[in-house]
Amino acid sequence: TTYHVSPAGLDTNPGTLAAPFRTLQHAAGVLRAGDTLLVENGTYSQPTGGPIMPLSQSGTATSWIWIKARNRWGAKLQGLPNTNATGVTFGSGVGYVRLEGLEIFGVSSTGNGARAIECYGGGHHVQIVANHIHDIGRTCTDVSNAMHGISVQQPNVTISGNLIHDIGRLGPGENGCKPATTN
């Protein structure tokens, strides 16, 4: 099945091109092995906290899940400072998923670090292709946790053709930052 998500949609819609879902959270929850999610142009966020797009479903070796921007970098996942520490997270055991053509920016946290994309928790076989990842963790903080463009702690992850820049905490004096430690 091919599903569609658009900022102009409704999560009560069936996810068709004519009646798309509204949120990435909802759309990600309906995906099953072999499905494709086309993400229409626009800005997506998660104002209630947590990841902008938490993935909890796996594909299979012969039926991958594809999540793809309709137009390269036209689908923008915008983190809200100290609200979204993660843009896209591959949940426990999630595998056989391809993420392609999204722009992910603005995720940050003064507590536990920040990650545009997080591959963690026993997952495997993930492809992260042609995404634009930037302005991650751009906050003044003393925590020792890292700020990541892509955090990988699982096997068989392909990262290819992504544009990644401006990742990390603010330095002393940058935008008025006055850290209390050398972290």
XYZ file of all heavy atoms in Angstrom, residues 64-177:
846
model
N 10.446 -4.324 2.106
C 10.896 -3.179 2.898
C 9.781 -2.153 3.046
O 8.874 -2.063 2.208
C 12.076 -2.511 2.205
C 13.377 -3.235 2.364
C 13.659 -4.511 1.956
C 14.560 -2.721 2.944
N 14.961 -4.822 2.265
C 15.541 -3.738 2.863
C 14.902 -1.508 3.523
C 16.830 -3.577 3.337
C 16.187 -1.336 3.996
C 17.139 -2.371 3.911
N 9.861 -1.357 4.094
C 9.032 -0.157 4.243
C 9.845 1.008 3.692
O 11.007 1.184 4.054
C 8.666 0.105 5.723
C 7.725 -0.984 6.233
C 8.045 1.491 5.889
C 7.430 -0.909 7.726
N 9.223 1.808 2.820
C 9.881 2.982 2.248
C 9.182 4.233 2.750
O 7.952 4.343 2.642
C 9.803 2.955 0.722
C 10.814 2.060 0.074
C 11.030 0.744 0.340
C 11.731 2.420 -0.948
N 12.032 0.262 -0.457
C 12.476 1.266 -1.259
C 11.992 3.599 -1.629
C 13.476 1.264 -2.225
C 12.986 3.588 -2.598
C 13.716 2.436 -2.882
N 9.963 5.161 3.258
C 9.455 6.476 3.662
C 10.231 7.483 2.832
O 11.450 7.595 2.969
C 9.644 6.715 5.171
C 8.897 5.646 5.960
C 9.180 8.129 5.548
C 9.250 5.589 7.422
N 9.526 8.183 1.958
C 10.203 9.009 0.965
C 9.497 10.341 0.791
O 8.266 10.399 0.705
C 10.227 8.265 -0.367
C 10.932 9.003 -1.461
C 10.973 8.198 -2.742
C 11.722 9.025 -3.772
N 11.819 8.393 -5.048
N 10.289 11.420 0.737
C 9.723 12.732 0.412
C 9.280 12.723 -1.046
O 9.981 12.185 -1.905
C 10.765 13.829 0.632
N 8.115 13.297 -1.311
C 7.666 13.398 -2.705
C 8.704 14.160 -3.528
O 9.029 13.772 -4.635
C 6.322 14.099 -2.790
C 6.051 14.577 -4.187
C 4.789 14.309 -4.879
N 3.737 13.621 -4.276
C 3.215 12.514 -4.828
N 3.743 11.991 -5.917
N 2.178 11.942 -4.278
N 9.196 15.281 -2.974
C 10.244 16.078 -3.611
C 11.417 16.175 -2.644
O 11.222 16.531 -1.474
C 9.728 17.480 -3.949
C 8.586 17.412 -4.930
O 8.741 16.970 -6.053
N 7.405 17.830 -4.491
N 12.593 15.877 -3.139
C 13.777 15.871 -2.284
C 13.865 17.150 -1.455
O 13.883 18.246 -1.994
C 15.027 15.721 -3.140
C 16.286 15.573 -2.346
C 17.443 15.328 -3.274
N 18.660 15.169 -2.506
C 19.852 15.128 -3.042
N 19.992 15.219 -4.339
N 20.911 14.990 -2.284
N 13.885 16.989 -0.138
C 14.012 18.026 0.880
C 12.800 18.947 0.940
O 12.816 19.954 1.634
C 15.296 18.822 0.732
C 16.553 17.993 0.722
C 16.675 16.672 1.082
C 17.844 18.400 0.338
N 17.964 16.250 0.943
C 18.718 17.298 0.476
C 18.367 19.596 -0.119
C 20.068 17.348 0.186
C 19.730 19.651 -0.412
C 20.561 18.544 -0.262
N 11.728 18.604 0.267
C 10.494 19.387 0.358
C 9.716 19.076 1.629
O 8.947 19.893 2.109
N 9.900 17.876 2.166
C 9.277 17.476 3.430
C 10.254 17.808 4.545
O 11.356 17.255 4.604
C 8.967 15.984 3.418
N 9.866 18.737 5.422
C 10.757 19.286 6.442
C 10.302 18.856 7.838
O 9.205 19.199 8.250
C 10.788 20.806 6.338
C 11.254 21.281 4.968
C 11.105 22.758 4.806
C 11.463 23.241 3.420
N 12.644 22.675 2.808
N 11.139 18.109 8.531
C 10.862 17.704 9.902
C 11.569 18.702 10.809
O 12.791 18.695 10.911
C 11.363 16.295 10.169
C 10.513 15.146 9.624
C 10.436 15.158 8.115
C 11.032 13.826 10.130
N 10.792 19.575 11.422
C 11.350 20.650 12.236
C 11.176 20.342 13.709
O 10.066 20.263 14.221
C 10.680 21.985 11.910
C 11.227 23.124 12.746
C 10.603 24.460 12.398
O 9.609 24.529 11.691
N 11.190 25.518 12.902
N 12.300 20.183 14.399
C 12.268 19.984 15.836
C 12.005 21.293 16.552
O 12.339 22.366 16.060
N 11.384 21.192 17.692
C 11.119 22.356 18.524
C 12.104 22.313 19.691
O 12.192 21.298 20.388
C 9.674 22.331 19.012
C 8.626 22.221 17.895
C 7.233 22.035 18.477
C 8.682 23.433 16.983
N 12.889 23.383 19.913
C 13.935 23.362 20.936
C 13.441 22.884 22.302
O 12.408 23.320 22.787
C 14.401 24.816 20.995
C 14.090 25.357 19.641
C 12.813 24.666 19.231
N 14.200 21.957 22.875
C 13.900 21.350 24.180
C 12.533 20.671 24.223
O 11.976 20.438 25.284
C 14.060 22.365 25.308
C 15.500 22.800 25.436
O 16.399 21.965 25.392
N 15.733 24.084 25.554
N 11.966 20.383 23.066
C 10.724 19.617 22.960
C 10.994 18.303 22.250
O 10.523 17.254 22.652
C 9.651 20.424 22.199
O 9.389 21.631 22.918
C 8.355 19.652 22.058
N 11.765 18.376 21.162
C 12.097 17.189 20.372
C 13.606 16.986 20.386
O 14.340 17.733 19.756
C 11.640 17.340 18.927
C 10.199 17.766 18.797
O 9.937 18.874 18.361
N 9.273 16.921 19.194
N 14.061 15.979 21.118
C 15.483 15.653 21.126
C 15.836 14.736 19.966
O 17.000 14.547 19.654
C 15.865 14.994 22.451
N 14.818 14.175 19.296
C 15.034 13.251 18.183
C 14.079 13.567 17.043
O 12.892 13.809 17.273
C 14.825 11.789 18.638
O 15.607 11.545 19.801
C 15.219 10.812 17.551
N 14.596 13.513 15.818
C 13.757 13.703 14.640
C 13.062 12.411 14.261
O 11.852 12.272 14.360
N 13.842 11.417 13.845
C 13.314 10.103 13.463
C 14.002 9.071 14.330
O 15.232 9.050 14.426
C 13.590 9.786 11.977
C 13.068 8.400 11.615
C 12.976 10.846 11.071
N 13.218 8.213 14.963
C 13.806 7.142 15.757
C 13.299 5.796 15.253
O 12.114 5.618 15.007
C 13.519 7.321 17.266
O 14.201 6.300 17.991
C 12.053 7.256 17.594
N 14.245 4.889 15.062
C 13.920 3.519 14.691
C 13.794 2.749 15.992
O 14.778 2.548 16.692
C 15.018 2.929 13.795
C 15.056 3.543 12.424
C 15.690 4.757 12.205
C 14.432 2.914 11.355
C 15.718 5.338 10.949
C 14.452 3.485 10.093
C 15.092 4.698 9.882
N 12.594 2.346 16.343
C 12.312 1.705 17.617
C 12.961 0.342 17.764
O 13.632 -0.160 16.860
N 12.729 -0.261 18.898
C 13.335 -1.536 19.257
C 13.058 -2.600 18.194
O 11.913 -2.925 17.908
C 12.801 -1.993 20.604
O 13.410 -3.209 20.967
N 14.123 -3.109 17.608
C 14.010 -4.196 16.649
C 13.555 -3.804 15.257
O 13.371 -4.672 14.411
N 13.343 -2.529 14.984
C 12.845 -2.101 13.679
C 13.927 -2.278 12.619
O 15.064 -1.840 12.792
C 12.356 -0.635 13.708
C 12.018 -0.136 12.317
C 11.141 -0.516 14.620
N 13.560 -2.909 11.515
C 14.493 -3.132 10.429
C 13.795 -3.139 9.084
O 12.569 -3.087 8.984
N 14.613 -3.200 8.055
C 14.143 -3.208 6.672
C 13.281 -1.985 6.365
O 12.158 -2.085 5.873
C 13.400 -4.510 6.355
C 14.263 -5.735 6.560
C 14.032 -6.603 7.631
C 15.327 -6.012 5.712
C 14.838 -7.717 7.838
C 16.137 -7.121 5.914
C 15.880 -7.965 6.972
O 16.689 -9.059 7.178
N 13.854 -0.820 6.684
C 13.187 0.460 6.441
C 14.161 1.379 5.708
O 15.335 1.462 6.082
C 12.724 1.130 7.759
C 12.116 2.503 7.492
C 11.740 0.242 8.501
N 13.660 2.065 4.690
C 14.457 3.055 3.947
C 13.844 4.432 4.168
O 12.642 4.615 3.993
C 14.467 2.723 2.462
C 15.273 3.703 1.614
C 15.229 3.282 0.153
N 15.871 4.240 -0.715
C 17.073 4.076 -1.265
N 17.767 2.975 -1.005
N 17.578 4.987 -2.073
N 14.682 5.401 4.534
C 14.283 6.786 4.791
C 15.002 7.648 3.762
O 16.236 7.697 3.747
C 14.698 7.165 6.217
C 14.242 8.494 6.766
C 12.731 8.488 6.985
C 14.954 8.772 8.078
N 14.228 8.364 2.926
C 14.854 9.029 1.783
C 14.296 10.425 1.512
O 13.082 10.623 1.447
C 14.656 8.163 0.531
C 15.300 8.718 -0.705
C 15.119 7.815 -1.915
O 14.799 6.618 -1.746
O 15.294 8.308 -3.032
N 15.214 11.384 1.327
C 14.877 12.690 0.780
C 14.266 13.699 1.727
O 13.752 14.720 1.276
N 14.318 13.471 3.041
C 13.725 14.391 4.014
C 14.732 15.457 4.436
O 15.942 15.247 4.370
C 13.262 13.621 5.253
C 12.279 12.476 5.022
C 12.078 11.694 6.304
C 10.971 12.982 4.475
N 14.229 16.594 4.895
C 15.064 17.590 5.555
C 14.721 17.540 7.040
O 13.546 17.632 7.409
C 14.799 18.993 5.016
C 15.652 20.048 5.691
C 15.448 21.458 5.142
O 14.689 21.624 4.172
O 16.050 22.378 5.706
N 15.732 17.380 7.884
C 15.520 17.264 9.330
C 16.397 18.310 10.008
O 17.612 18.338 9.797
C 15.868 15.858 9.840
C 15.095 14.792 9.054
C 15.587 15.747 11.338
C 15.559 13.376 9.301
N 15.768 19.153 10.834
C 16.529 20.225 11.474
C 15.844 20.666 12.762
O 14.674 20.378 13.003
C 16.684 21.416 10.526
C 15.385 22.070 10.137
C 14.946 23.216 10.780
C 14.602 21.539 9.131
C 13.739 23.825 10.435
C 13.395 22.141 8.768
C 12.970 23.283 9.419
N 16.615 21.371 13.608
C 16.056 22.026 14.780
C 15.869 21.171 16.012
O 15.417 21.684 17.030
N 16.190 19.875 15.980
C 16.029 19.090 17.208
C 17.160 19.439 18.169
O 18.301 19.641 17.763
C 15.956 17.560 16.944
C 14.775 17.222 16.080
C 17.217 17.027 16.342
N 16.810 19.557 19.435
C 17.815 19.888 20.438
C 17.306 19.537 21.828
O 16.118 19.333 22.030
C 18.176 21.374 20.387
O 17.092 22.162 20.825
N 18.242 19.474 22.757
C 17.914 19.189 24.144
C 19.046 19.704 25.019
O 20.213 19.538 24.680
C 17.741 17.692 24.359
O 17.624 17.391 25.727
N 18.705 20.311 26.124
C 19.741 20.723 27.066
C 20.022 19.613 28.075
O 20.876 19.757 28.925
C 19.327 22.003 27.825
O 18.074 21.776 28.469
C 19.233 23.177 26.881
N 19.302 18.486 27.965
C 19.463 17.414 28.938
C 20.153 16.174 28.420
O 21.193 15.782 28.916
N 19.611 15.534 27.397
C 20.098 14.219 26.988
C 20.728 14.176 25.608
O 20.771 13.122 24.992
C 18.957 13.203 27.040
C 18.499 12.955 28.450
O 19.311 12.890 29.356
N 17.209 12.834 28.650
N 21.187 15.275 25.090
C 21.747 15.271 23.748
C 20.636 15.352 22.717
O 19.458 15.471 23.045
N 21.013 15.292 21.450
C 20.046 15.412 20.362
C 20.481 14.530 19.206
O 21.680 14.311 18.999
C 19.944 16.867 19.915
N 19.505 14.028 18.453
C 19.766 13.161 17.319
C 18.752 13.467 16.213
O 17.548 13.378 16.455
C 19.638 11.695 17.716
C 20.631 11.301 18.790
C 20.142 10.198 19.708
N 18.871 10.430 20.364
C 18.699 11.124 21.505
N 19.714 11.688 22.092
N 17.509 11.255 22.042
N 19.223 13.755 15.020
C 18.297 13.920 13.898
C 17.670 12.573 13.570
O 16.466 12.456 13.406
C 19.001 14.500 12.680
N 18.516 11.545 13.485
C 18.056 10.181 13.216
C 18.750 9.259 14.199
O 19.968 9.314 14.368
C 18.374 9.753 11.767
C 17.679 10.686 10.764
C 17.972 8.295 11.532
C 18.069 10.450 9.321
N 17.963 8.383 14.817
C 18.509 7.460 15.814
C 18.170 6.028 15.432
O 16.999 5.663 15.339
C 17.924 7.777 17.183
C 18.414 6.867 18.269
C 17.814 7.204 19.619
O 16.572 7.215 19.734
O 18.592 7.467 20.541
N 19.207 5.227 15.206
C 19.069 3.793 14.922
C 19.603 3.052 16.145
O 20.810 2.937 16.325
C 19.867 3.402 13.691
S 19.383 4.245 12.194
N 18.711 2.572 16.970
C 19.090 2.037 18.267
C 18.131 0.913 18.632
O 17.099 0.732 18.009
C 19.006 3.176 19.302
C 19.501 2.821 20.675
C 20.853 2.640 20.912
C 18.623 2.689 21.729
C 21.316 2.326 22.168
C 19.075 2.370 23.001
C 20.431 2.191 23.208
O 20.883 1.872 24.457
N 18.456 0.176 19.653
C 17.503 -0.777 20.233
C 17.325 -2.073 19.481
O 16.219 -2.574 19.375
N 18.390 -2.636 18.925
C 18.288 -3.964 18.341
C 17.757 -4.002 16.928
O 17.468 -5.074 16.404
N 17.614 -2.874 16.282
C 17.165 -2.863 14.890
C 18.276 -3.306 13.948
O 19.387 -3.623 14.361
N 17.973 -3.312 12.661
C 18.925 -3.777 11.654
C 18.404 -3.430 10.268
O 17.228 -3.108 10.096
C 19.104 -5.296 11.772
C 17.792 -6.010 11.706
N 17.204 -6.408 10.520
C 16.905 -6.358 12.673
C 16.034 -6.979 10.759
N 15.833 -6.960 12.067
N 19.276 -3.482 9.292
C 18.917 -3.275 7.887
C 18.083 -2.007 7.686
O 16.883 -2.055 7.425
C 18.187 -4.491 7.322
C 19.069 -5.693 7.241
N 19.170 -6.587 8.280
C 19.908 -6.111 6.271
C 20.035 -7.536 7.944
N 20.504 -7.268 6.729
N 18.759 -0.877 7.832
C 18.147 0.435 7.637
C 18.948 1.163 6.561
O 20.169 1.055 6.528
C 18.147 1.238 8.962
C 17.779 2.687 8.740
C 17.200 0.598 9.974
N 18.251 1.900 5.710
C 18.904 2.731 4.702
C 18.497 4.182 4.925
O 17.302 4.481 4.976
C 18.524 2.295 3.289
C 18.996 0.894 2.944
C 18.550 0.448 1.566
O 17.784 1.121 0.888
N 19.048 -0.699 1.146
N 19.487 5.047 5.055
C 19.268 6.482 5.257
C 19.924 7.171 4.072
O 21.153 7.247 3.987
C 19.871 6.933 6.607
C 19.226 6.143 7.752
C 19.697 8.434 6.792
C 19.936 6.286 9.075
N 19.097 7.657 3.134
C 19.600 8.063 1.828
C 19.119 9.465 1.447
O 17.916 9.764 1.546
C 19.144 7.050 0.750
C 19.634 7.453 -0.631
C 19.622 5.641 1.103
N 20.042 10.317 1.016
C 19.741 11.611 0.378
C 18.925 12.565 1.244
O 18.099 13.314 0.734
C 19.057 11.391 -0.970
N 19.160 12.553 2.539
C 18.476 13.480 3.443
C 19.346 14.713 3.698
O 20.558 14.667 3.530
C 18.167 12.778 4.774
C 17.246 11.596 4.580
O 16.064 11.757 4.342
N 17.801 10.389 4.649
N 18.725 15.794 4.113
C 19.438 17.029 4.480
C 19.256 17.203 5.984
O 18.138 17.462 6.442
C 18.872 18.221 3.715
C 19.583 19.497 3.986
N 19.056 20.713 3.630
C 20.781 19.783 4.571
C 19.891 21.681 3.972
N 20.944 21.132 4.560
N 20.332 17.063 6.728
C 20.296 17.091 8.191
C 21.149 18.254 8.666
O 22.337 18.315 8.343
C 20.818 15.750 8.758
C 19.925 14.600 8.276
C 20.904 15.802 10.272
C 20.515 13.233 8.495
N 20.530 19.172 9.425
C 21.292 20.348 9.839
C 20.701 20.997 11.083
O 19.576 20.725 11.471
C 21.348 21.372 8.690
C 20.011 21.894 8.268
N 19.491 23.075 8.738
C 19.093 21.392 7.412
C 18.300 23.285 8.179
N 18.034 22.280 7.375
N 21.516 21.854 11.709
C 21.122 22.618 12.892
C 20.535 21.712 13.973
O 19.426 21.917 14.454
C 20.161 23.742 12.498
C 20.865 24.760 11.616
O 21.830 25.375 12.106
O 20.487 24.907 10.443
N 21.334 20.719 14.354
C 20.955 19.755 15.385
C 21.733 20.075 16.654
O 22.955 20.217 16.624
C 21.262 18.306 14.938
C 20.589 17.991 13.597
C 20.876 17.300 16.028
C 19.087 18.144 13.572
N 21.024 20.209 17.783
C 21.670 20.449 19.066
C 22.267 21.831 19.210
O 23.146 22.041 20.037
N 21.831 22.773 18.466
C 22.406 24.126 18.481
C 21.864 24.906 19.675
O 21.080 25.842 19.544
C 22.104 24.838 17.160
C 22.577 24.107 15.913
C 24.066 23.910 15.812
N 24.709 25.211 15.702
C 25.920 25.486 16.108
N 26.653 24.550 16.688
N 26.424 26.665 15.972
N 22.308 24.478 20.868
C 21.880 25.087 22.113
C 23.072 25.199 23.063
O 24.063 24.498 22.893
C 20.729 24.269 22.753
O 20.220 24.965 23.879
C 21.185 22.887 23.165
N 22.971 26.047 24.054
C 24.029 26.197 25.048
C 23.728 25.230 26.188
O 22.707 25.353 26.869
C 24.072 27.644 25.559
S 25.465 27.970 26.667
N 24.587 24.246 26.367
C 24.357 23.240 27.400
C 25.684 22.705 27.922
O 26.687 22.713 27.209
C 23.480 22.076 26.867
O 23.282 21.129 27.911
C 24.107 21.394 25.673
N 25.680 22.224 29.153
C 26.862 21.646 29.772
C 26.816 20.123 29.831
O 27.746 19.501 30.344
C 27.016 22.189 31.197
C 27.431 23.651 31.207
O 28.339 24.007 30.445
O 26.835 24.428 31.970
N 25.758 19.496 29.338
C 25.686 18.037 29.409
C 26.785 17.414 28.569
O 27.235 17.989 27.574
C 24.304 17.491 28.974
C 23.199 18.024 29.856
C 24.035 17.758 27.521
N 27.226 16.238 28.968
C 28.287 15.560 28.225
C 27.732 14.701 27.091
O 28.496 14.185 26.287
C 29.123 14.700 29.173
O 28.300 13.755 29.820
N 26.409 14.521 27.030
C 25.815 13.735 25.955
C 26.017 14.429 24.615
O 25.978 15.655 24.515
C 24.319 13.527 26.206
C 24.056 12.662 27.410
O 24.945 11.988 27.905
N 22.839 12.697 27.897
N 26.194 13.634 23.590
C 26.531 14.158 22.265
C 25.303 14.680 21.517
O 24.163 14.357 21.834
C 27.198 13.065 21.446
N 25.591 15.472 20.510
C 24.601 15.954 19.556
C 24.946 15.265 18.240
O 26.064 15.389 17.745
C 24.684 17.475 19.402
C 24.656 18.245 20.704
S 23.067 18.106 21.528
C 23.420 18.964 23.064
N 23.993 14.512 17.664
C 24.266 13.667 16.502
C 23.438 14.082 15.294
O 22.257 14.383 15.429
C 23.886 12.212 16.783
C 24.571 11.601 17.948
N 25.821 11.036 17.866
C 24.178 11.447 19.235
C 26.166 10.560 19.041
N 25.190 10.800 19.887
N 24.044 13.984 14.138
C 23.273 14.027 12.907
C 22.564 12.691 12.750
O 21.351 12.617 12.633
N 23.350 11.611 12.772
C 22.811 10.252 12.697
C 23.526 9.418 13.756
O 24.750 9.319 13.754
C 23.017 9.628 11.304
C 22.370 10.488 10.215
C 22.453 8.204 11.267
C 22.686 10.053 8.797
N 22.771 8.824 14.653
C 23.324 7.966 15.703
C 23.005 6.514 15.351
O 21.846 6.156 15.181
C 22.690 8.330 17.049
O 23.117 7.439 18.057
N 24.042 5.698 15.237
C 23.854 4.309 14.831
C 24.465 3.391 15.873
O 25.650 3.500 16.184
C 24.507 4.026 13.456
C 24.362 2.554 13.081
C 23.902 4.910 12.391
N 23.649 2.485 16.401
C 24.120 1.462 17.330
C 23.454 0.141 16.984
O 22.926 -0.553 17.854
C 23.811 1.874 18.772
C 24.574 3.093 19.213
C 24.313 3.442 20.662
O 23.526 2.809 21.359
N 24.983 4.480 21.140
N 23.431 -0.179 15.692
C 22.854 -1.437 15.229
C 23.551 -1.838 13.933
O 24.184 -1.002 13.285
C 21.343 -1.306 15.027
C 20.931 -0.284 13.982
C 19.439 -0.028 13.991
O 18.808 0.001 15.031
N 18.870 0.160 12.827
N 23.441 -3.109 13.535
C 24.150 -3.574 12.341
C 23.388 -3.288 11.041
O 22.182 -3.049 11.043
C 24.247 -5.084 12.578
C 23.034 -5.412 13.383
C 22.813 -4.212 14.269
N 24.135 -3.348 9.953
C 23.583 -3.292 8.601
C 22.807 -2.012 8.326
O 21.667 -2.045 7.863
C 22.715 -4.529 8.319
C 23.516 -5.809 8.436
O 24.567 -5.942 7.819
N 23.056 -6.726 9.264
N 23.441 -0.881 8.610
C 22.842 0.423 8.312
C 23.636 1.043 7.165
O 24.863 1.142 7.230
C 22.871 1.354 9.551
C 22.357 2.742 9.186
C 22.037 0.752 10.673
N 22.934 1.445 6.119
C 23.544 2.123 4.984
C 23.212 3.604 5.078
O 22.040 3.976 5.174
C 22.999 1.559 3.655
O 23.294 0.165 3.588
C 23.610 2.284 2.460
N 24.253 4.439 5.061
C 24.093 5.895 5.078
C 24.754 6.402 3.806
O 25.958 6.256 3.637
C 24.739 6.504 6.338
C 24.085 5.924 7.597
C 24.633 8.025 6.304
C 24.805 6.279 8.883
N 23.949 7.004 2.910
C 24.482 7.353 1.600
C 23.867 8.648 1.071
O 22.645 8.821 1.106
C 24.196 6.203 0.628
O 24.634 6.516 -0.668
N 24.718 9.539 0.575
C 24.255 10.720 -0.141
C 23.533 11.751 0.690
O 22.764 12.553 0.154
N 23.740 11.759 2.004
C 23.107 12.746 2.878
C 23.967 14.000 2.950
O 25.191 13.927 2.883
C 22.939 12.169 4.288
C 22.016 10.970 4.305
O 20.810 11.102 4.256
N 22.606 9.782 4.361
N 23.332 15.166 3.107
C 24.038 16.416 3.360
C 23.856 16.721 4.843
O 22.723 16.903 5.301
C 23.470 17.549 2.504
C 24.047 18.944 2.766
C 25.544 18.968 2.506
C 23.328 19.974 1.919
N 24.971 16.745 5.595
C 24.916 16.911 7.044
C 25.832 18.064 7.441
O 27.011 18.061 7.095
C 25.349 15.614 7.765
C 24.470 14.436 7.311
C 25.295 15.790 9.272
C 24.943 13.082 7.797
N 25.271 19.048 8.173
C 26.094 20.184 8.600
C 25.473 20.883 9.805
O 24.304 20.689 10.119
C 26.289 21.182 7.448
C 25.020 21.772 6.924
N 24.492 22.949 7.393
C 24.168 21.339 5.968
C 23.368 23.220 6.744
N 23.146 22.256 5.872
N 26.282 21.693 10.497
C 25.861 22.470 11.663
C 25.248 21.579 12.744
O 24.103 21.756 13.142
C 24.905 23.602 11.252
C 25.597 24.624 10.374
O 26.624 25.165 10.818
O 25.133 24.856 9.245
N 26.056 20.639 13.204
C 25.649 19.696 14.245
C 26.491 19.980 15.481
O 27.714 20.093 15.384
C 25.885 18.231 13.815
C 25.301 17.947 12.428
C 25.362 17.260 14.868
C 23.823 18.055 12.308
N 25.875 20.082 16.640
C 26.617 20.232 17.891
C 26.157 21.410 18.710
O 25.447 22.294 18.247
N 26.582 21.399 19.974
C 26.204 22.457 20.909
C 26.893 23.765 20.534
O 27.892 23.771 19.818
C 26.536 22.039 22.330
C 28.017 22.009 22.627
C 28.346 21.316 23.947
N 28.417 19.892 23.697
C 27.646 18.999 24.291
N 26.798 19.338 25.213
N 27.744 17.724 23.989
N 26.370 24.861 21.042
C 26.998 26.162 20.834
C 28.294 26.225 21.631
O 28.383 25.692 22.736
C 26.058 27.286 21.272
C 24.742 27.404 20.508
C 23.864 28.492 21.115
C 24.986 27.674 19.033
N 29.291 26.897 21.087
C 30.570 27.054 21.756
C 30.578 28.293 22.644
O 29.690 29.150 22.543
N 31.557 28.391 23.525
C 31.670 29.577 24.385
C 31.656 30.864 23.553
O 32.405 31.002 22.594
C 33.011 29.387 25.095
C 33.238 27.906 25.070
C 32.640 27.442 23.770
N 30.757 31.762 23.902
C 30.633 33.032 23.213
C 29.719 33.020 21.997
O 29.308 34.072 21.515
N 29.396 31.844 21.500
C 28.521 31.741 20.330
C 27.075 32.010 20.752
O 26.536 31.332 21.619
C 28.662 30.345 19.715
C 27.963 30.182 18.391
C 28.178 28.801 17.780
O 28.833 27.935 18.394
O 27.670 28.581 16.677
N 26.460 33.000 20.151
C 25.080 33.399 20.501
C 24.923 33.652 21.995
O 23.888 33.332 22.586
C 24.060 32.366 20.031
C 23.886 32.351 18.536
O 24.352 33.240 17.831
N 23.226 31.339 18.025
N 25.955 34.179 22.621
C 25.885 34.506 24.045
C 26.067 33.328 24.980
O 25.825 33.433 26.192
N 26.498 32.181 24.468
C 26.644 30.973 25.286
C 27.778 31.139 26.296
O 28.899 31.505 25.937
C 26.897 29.772 24.384
S 27.026 28.199 25.275
